[in-house]
Amino acid sequence: MSEQGLRESVELMRERGLGPEAIRVFEHYFEQLEAGALGTIPEDSIEPLGDIQALGEVQVSDEEARAALSKTAVIKLNGGLGTGMGMTGAKSALEVRDGLTFLDIIALQVLALRKQWDVELPLVLMNSFRTSEESLAILEKYPDLPVEGVPLDFIQNAEPKLCPDGLTPVKWPKDPELEWCPPGHGDIYVSLVTSGVLDALLAKGIRYAFLSNSDNLGATCDPDVAAWMVEHGVPYVAEVCRRTKSDRKGGHLAVRKSDGRIVLRDTAMVAEGEERFFRDIKRHNTFNANNVWVDLEVLRERMTQKQGVLGLPIIVNRKNVDPADPSSPEVIQMESAMGTAIEVFEGSEAILVPRTRFRPVKTTNDLLVIRSDFFSLDESFHVVAAVDGPEPYVDLDSAYRFVSGFEKRFPRGVPSMRDCTSLRVIGDPVFGRNVRCVGDVLIDGYRRVLDDAVLGEVSAGAAAPPVAPGEVRTVDEHLRAILSTLEPAPTQWTPLTEALGLVVARDVRAKVDLPHFDNSSMDGYAVRADSLAGAADAPVRLRIVGEVAAGEQPTFSVGPGEAARIMTGAPMPEGADAVIAVEDTDGSASGDVECRTAVTRGRYVRPRGEDVTSGSVVVPAGTVVGARTLALLAACGHAEVEVHRRPHVVVVSTGSELVPPGEALGAGQIHDSNSSMLWAAAVNAGASAEMRGAVGDSEQDLIALLDEVVATTDVVVTSGGVSMGAYDVVKNALAGEGIDFVKVAMQPGKPQGYGLLTGPGGRRVPFFALPGNPVSSFVSFEVFVRPALRRLMRLTPEKRRLRPATLISGVESFGGRRQFGRALVSRSAEGTLVAVPVAGQGSHFVADLSRANALFVVPEDVTELVAGEVVDVLLLDPEA
């Protein structure tokens, strides 16, 4: 064991005033950590939860409910700071709706229950030292809330963060409080004892406690659960809800095979490689709502018996000592989860509750919905849906991630969501007053949403319906079907040298002042401005007391009648408040310097923080990293930046006739040009890419290659093999594997394939099957793949903008198809765009494709355009 690390940690905890129970719990987990405990629960050690009691089937009388409620207290976990939403204070102090904070609503819910059932029902907050003062100040407006003999709050314990090497307490002089962390919300049981609150509640005749998170406004103290718990003598009850696809990351309950006890398995407790079992919503069909009910007498008995150490499963978290600084040292935090106590109490049960009891606000996406008119507060201050149907799905861009950015973009309130099924915002538009969302809404690239706007009459985000054989999709339908399956790529901290062209995921603040110190903007002499009073009338001589070059720190000061020779960028010496330029002097290097002009205080001095002050936002979320952005980030002390990850694309061409460029051609063979073209197009779109060469007409070879690449790539693009031929290998191999092969009303590029391949751990990899003719393949990439890659990177706009250009010669088009022709676009003498269609418009003309710098677009209902007409063009080269 790391005796030194344990000894130092315990001593620090004693100095902080933490009780013996908290220290024993820390020692318990320290020993487990030292022994290599990972806190994981393998799938083969558990079985699904099985049938459980549903709250809707519980029937209790009013008297039973009142009697149970009279012996119950409400305890809210209230130590969260909302750092994930960019907050620094108590998250529960955030206004959520109708001018009320989380704590206001919780207090009003408790007061309403007291009035309805004529019971005392104490409310107690488990605060951290960072949230206590602010939270209690909010509750002061409710003078009837405190219950005599029971405190309104208690402070959860703290423990040292540990260095991975040696398991000694970390030292962080910049902010010593960051050397400490809470031991997870499983600490609530220990803190109830060490704070004396457990004894206080039992002394008041309170037998049961309802524990839940303060940001879950659906977690009200339901007397039916309390009465059911009393009736059946259950010592511990965990609430669970039915699991959907959106809950696959949430922890679930299961039955341990070894002893038949119910256990909680959270995301951090999944064994490596078993994520697919954890996310299987058919096998594990409920999730833990983190609302629990505890028999306090049984808790007291267990705590006494175990000397404060319940023995909850350890959770080993590895983080940075400063969560906001990825360059700060890595530390280990030993934690436990409140819900894991279910395995400690013999006879524990789970109860199935409706989804309405799980309405946490973890992100600004959740905040938008809870503030909207989709919800309202009833007379008991319960959050209730104003309309039937599922809650709308919301996905806001990274600019809205923090509350500050969210508030700036909804200055007049959030939009109406009563008739909305989904809202996806790409970019960072500011919303006006009385905006209404209807159905599926996609906002892409707007700068502003006007007052009274109604969004969503045209469904922009919904997946296209299944296509029957022979049915043709429009271009827009196929693109919507693709985009509806895609979520922006996860964020990651990336070195500045690898972040070019990526989107910043969160506001970046300066680590230092710019300039970092007062410095000279000229070569000259640092002086006191008062020393040169009258120098414009007659030269003044000052004694040179030193010299300062850039990069040096002056060790002297400048007094009255003195000067210091100084170079551009050098720090100002103490006492000097101005610089006289060398050309206004005689340029002496020693002795005295003759100064021929007066200067004002601050002349030629760059004051500290003049450009940027430490802690200010220098690069907002949503910014695309460019050369100038990199310069600013580096100057402000950042070596890395959190961005939306660059997707990796694997390009595969198909066809036995293909040979690599440079090799001799045999009979009937051609060089593989599509791989190089699609690789370059992917890189040009901002992705990373690799070519896997050509695969012949063997389905087995293609499947084997795809099985290999889905483990490491984010997107797969193939060309060829998607039409109706006997050797169309892609279509033949994947038609039954979840890939849709469709006809799209476009020219060129009619045959298309798209779907999601399944990789290890259930990861889903977008798969594009493009036609084999080079022009068809290129156009298909531009129209479908490029927007998808930009969505993954959160780049806006996703599609190239259409620009008007005048046709120099006429063109013909197929009726019922959108034509994408190749053209050479240039500017006329008047500055307008003119388009010259290239001679060869066939889908195999590679030379004409290479000469074109734009695609002209002929709508489906137009069959002919004559010279002089205006046509929309997509510029492929930015300089066009």
Side-chain angles (χ1 to χ4, degrees):
M1 180 183 296
S2 174
E3 294 291 348
Q4 180 182 351
L6 180 58
R7 185 171 58 254
E8 291 179 7
S9 297
V10 169
E11 184 60 32
L12 288 171
M13 294 179 75
R14 287 183 178 136
E15 290 176 2
R16 196 178 176 97
L18 294 165
E21 292 90 350
I23 292 174
R24 278 196 292 270
V25 171
F26 178 83
E27 291 172 330
H28 169 76
Y29 287 127
F30 193 97
E31 292 174 9
Q32 291 191 35
L33 180 66
E34 178 72 10
L38 300 175
T40 57
I41 301 178
E43 184 69 23
D44 61 7
S45 69
I46 58 175
E47 295 176 341
L49 187 59
D51 295 333
I52 56 173
Q53 174 71 56
L55 177 58
E57 299 169 358
V58 172
Q59 295 185 0
V60 298
S61 67
D62 286 352
E63 183 54 36
E64 289 171 328
R66 194 204 70 79
L69 205 57
S70 68
K71 299 178 181 179
T72 301
V74 175
I75 301 178
K76 290 288 182 176
L77 279 63
N78 193 57
L81 297 177
T83 52
M85 297 168 67
M87 299 176 63
T88 55
K91 181 180 180 182
S92 56
L94 175 65
E95 181 182 317
V96 278
R97 65 170 303 113
D98 303 342
L100 301 173
T101 67
F102 286 101
L103 286 173
D104 286 312
I105 295 174
I106 290 168
L108 292 167
Q109 288 173 345
V110 169
L111 292 173
L113 278 168
R114 289 183 186 177
K115 182 177 180 181
Q116 178 184 355
W117 295 96
D118 190 26
V119 295
E120 267 192 322
L121 190 62
L123 170 65
V124 184
L125 306 180
M126 183 176 81
N127 280 318
S128 69
F129 64 92
R130 293 176 184 257
T131 62
S132 180
E133 183 177 353
E134 185 177 13
S135 299
L136 293 180
I138 292 173
L139 296 185
E140 283 181 357
K141 67 181 77 169
Y142 305 102
D144 296 334
L145 194 61
V147 171
E148 185 179 354
V150 179
L152 267 179
D153 85 329
F154 61 96
I155 308 299
Q156 68 183 121
N157 291 305
E159 65 183 18
K161 298 177 182 177
L162 303 175
C163 298
D165 298 330
L167 301 183
T168 55
V170 70
K171 301 297 182 185
W172 194 242
K174 293 182 180 179
D175 186 352
E177 278 302 328
L178 290 177
E179 298 170 3
W180 295 84
C181 64
H185 45 68
D187 175 64
I188 189 169
Y189 307 109
V190 184
S191 292
L192 276 170
V193 173
T194 58
S195 65
V197 171
L198 180 58
D199 289 338
L201 290 171
L202 290 171
K204 288 288 292 184
I206 301 299
R207 173 77 183 269
Y208 305 97
F210 171 56
L211 318 177
S212 61
N213 293 315
S214 60
D215 66 357
N216 180 8
L217 293 177
T220 59
C221 188
D222 191 320
D224 285 355
V225 182
W228 178 77
M229 184 179 186
V230 173
E231 178 186 357
H232 294 276
V234 181
Y236 187 102
V237 177
E239 296 186 15
V240 299
C241 300
R242 286 292 177 204
R243 216 171 179 205
T244 66
K245 289 182 179 179
S246 61
D247 307 311
R248 287 179 293 182
K249 295 182 180 179
H252 66 84
L253 299 182
V255 177
R256 188 161 53 204
K257 292 179 180 179
S258 62
D259 57 11
R261 293 207 175 185
I262 300 175
V263 297
L264 168 65
R265 181 168 66 168
D266 233 324
T267 50
M269 305 164 77
V270 179
E272 185 176 355
E274 294 195 344
E275 291 82 2
R276 67 187 186 279
F277 299 121
F278 179 75
R279 297 182 180 181
D280 187 341
I281 63 174
K282 292 183 178 179
R283 175 171 170 80
H284 301 294
N285 58 15
T286 60
F287 72 90
N288 175 45
N290 214 35
N291 304 335
V292 304
W293 302 73
V294 181
D295 184 324
L296 296 178
E297 288 189 359
V298 178
L299 174 61
R300 161 55 76 188
E301 176 188 325
R302 293 286 186 277
M303 293 294 285
T304 302
Q305 179 184 10
K306 295 176 175 290
Q307 295 185 305
V309 182
L310 283 182
L312 306 185
I314 187 175
I315 298 175
V316 180
N317 261 328
R318 294 180 180 270
K319 298 184 178 181
N320 297 102
V321 64
D322 182 352
D325 182 4
S327 65
S328 62
E330 185 182 85
V331 294
I332 290 176
Q333 297 180 194
M334 300 186 301
E335 301 177 9
S336 63
M338 177 177 73
T340 59
I342 194 168
E343 67 181 72
V344 175
F345 294 87
E346 187 174 354
S348 296
E349 294 283 355
I351 189 168
L352 181 65
V353 300
R355 188 80 180 207
T356 54
R357 292 188 59 74
F358 184 73
R359 287 199 172 117
V361 178
K362 300 296 184 186
T363 66
T364 50
N365 297 332
D366 304 324
L367 182 61
L368 185 149
V369 179
I370 205 77
R371 281 189 180 178
S372 77
D373 59 358
F374 186 88
F375 287 114
S376 63
L377 295 175
D378 67 11
E379 65 279 0
S380 298
F381 296 93
H382 291 182
V383 178
V384 295
V387 294
D388 294 331
E391 296 176 22
Y393 170 80
V394 174
D395 179 21
L396 302 175
D397 210 332
S398 55
Y400 301 78
R401 177 178 177 181
F402 292 158
V403 172
S404 58
F406 178 91
E407 301 287 11
K408 289 178 184 176
R409 290 162 179 82
F410 295 108
R412 297 177 177 86
V414 301
S416 169
M417 303 292 287
R418 291 173 64 97
D419 302 312
C420 182
T421 51
S422 70
L423 168 64
R424 185 192 299 270
V425 179
I426 300 172
D428 62 345
V430 175
F431 283 68
R433 180 186 293 107
N434 298 327
V435 175
R436 181 178 169 224
C437 296
V438 179
D440 294 301
V441 179
L442 170 63
I443 299 175
D444 184 356
Y446 290 23
R447 295 185 63 186
R448 184 169 171 236
V449 179
L450 299 178
D451 291 350
D452 304 309
V454 179
L455 307 172
E457 292 94 343
V458 178
S459 176
V467 178
E471 188 177 344
V472 178
R473 280 181 182 171
T474 67
V475 172
D476 295 332
E477 286 173 343
H478 190 54
L479 180 58
R480 285 200 297 269
I482 292 168
L483 296 182
S484 69
T485 67
L486 302 177
E487 298 290 340
T491 64
Q492 69 177 22
W493 289 95
T494 301
L496 296 188
T497 53
E498 299 174 16
L500 189 66
L502 298 179
V503 175
V504 176
R506 71 167 77 192
D507 291 350
V508 182
R509 298 181 182 272
K511 292 185 175 183
V512 297
D513 293 321
L514 291 184
H516 192 46
F517 45 83
D518 295 348
N519 69 87
S520 175
S521 65
M522 295 284 286
D523 289 339
Y525 297 85
V527 299
R528 293 192 177 195
D530 292 346
S531 298
L532 295 181
D537 300 323
V540 172
R541 299 193 70 81
L542 302 178
R543 185 169 62 89
I544 298 174
V545 295
E547 179 175 299
V548 193
E552 293 182 352
Q553 182 60 41
T555 58
F556 55 85
S557 61
V558 174
E562 296 177 339
R565 198 177 183 199
I566 194 167
M567 313 306 165
T568 302
M572 292 289 290
E574 185 179 350
D577 57 18
V579 171
I580 182 172
V582 68
E583 54 264 35
D584 293 326
T585 71
D586 63 3
S588 293
S590 60
D592 291 343
V593 58
E594 182 180 277
C595 303
R596 297 186 287 268
T597 187
V599 295
T600 57
R601 186 171 298 170
R603 180 68 168 169
Y604 297 134
V605 175
R606 301 166 178 159
R608 176 173 181 158
E610 178 186 30
D611 186 13
V612 173
T613 56
S614 178
S616 63
V617 175
V618 289
V619 180
T623 301
V624 179
V625 178
R628 298 181 298 279
T629 317
L630 291 174
L632 177 58
L633 288 169
C636 290
H638 293 277
E640 295 181 313
V641 61
E642 187 178 6
V643 292
H644 291 281
R645 186 167 58 81
R646 193 186 307 277
H648 185 66
V649 180
V650 168
V651 174
V652 180
S653 293
T654 65
S656 297
E657 74 279 13
L658 300 177
V659 298
E663 293 189 8
L665 294 176
Q669 291 184 322
I670 60 174
H671 287 122
D672 174 17
S673 61
N674 282 358
S675 289
S676 302
M677 175 184 69
L678 294 174
W679 171 86
V683 171
N684 181 261
S688 63
E690 64 175 297
M691 295 180 287
R692 284 302 187 102
V695 175
D697 294 325
S698 165
E699 296 178 26
Q700 291 76 15
D701 290 347
L702 177 62
I703 293 294
L705 177 60
L706 294 179
D707 285 343
E708 175 190 346
V709 301
V710 292
T712 57
T713 194
D714 300 303
V715 178
V716 177
V717 180
T718 65
S719 64
V722 296
S723 191
M724 303 296 291
Y727 296 102
D728 285 324
V729 61
V730 179
K731 186 174 183 179
N732 293 338
L734 299 176
E737 301 296 327
I739 307 300
D740 290 330
F741 291 90
V742 298
K743 298 174 183 176
V744 179
M746 63 187 291
Q747 176 68 31
K750 184 177 181 180
Q752 297 286 333
Y754 177 76
L756 298 174
L757 300 174
T758 302
R763 67 190 303 264
R764 307 288 274 169
V765 178
F767 174 83
F768 294 86
L770 309 184
N773 280 318
V775 178
S776 300
S777 191
F778 177 81
V779 170
S780 299
F781 185 97
E782 279 293 318
V783 176
F784 301 124
V785 185
R786 188 175 188 274
L789 294 177
R790 290 179 66 83
R791 168 158 293 188
L792 292 175
M793 290 184 285
R794 280 197 185 270
L795 288 168
T796 57
E798 293 172 345
K799 298 181 289 184
R800 293 190 191 273
R801 298 198 185 281
L802 293 169
R803 302 187 187 186
T806 302
L807 277 173
I808 298 301
S809 59
V811 296
E812 294 182 351
S813 181
F814 292 95
R817 298 191 200 177
R818 188 178 304 178
Q819 181 182 355
F820 295 88
R822 279 78 66 209
L824 186 62
V825 172
S826 60
R827 290 198 177 273
S828 67
E830 294 78 24
T832 59
L833 296 178
V834 294
V836 181
V838 299
Q841 290 294 325
S843 61
H844 59 291
F845 288 143
V846 182
D848 287 314
L849 173 64
S850 72
R851 291 194 298 110
N853 64 357
L855 299 175
F856 64 83
V857 184
V858 183
E860 291 86 342
D861 57 351
V862 175
T863 58
E864 183 179 10
L865 291 171
V866 299
E869 285 195 76
V870 175
V871 66
D872 285 329
V873 296
L874 298 168
L875 298 180
L876 304 176
D877 299 329
E879 65 272 12

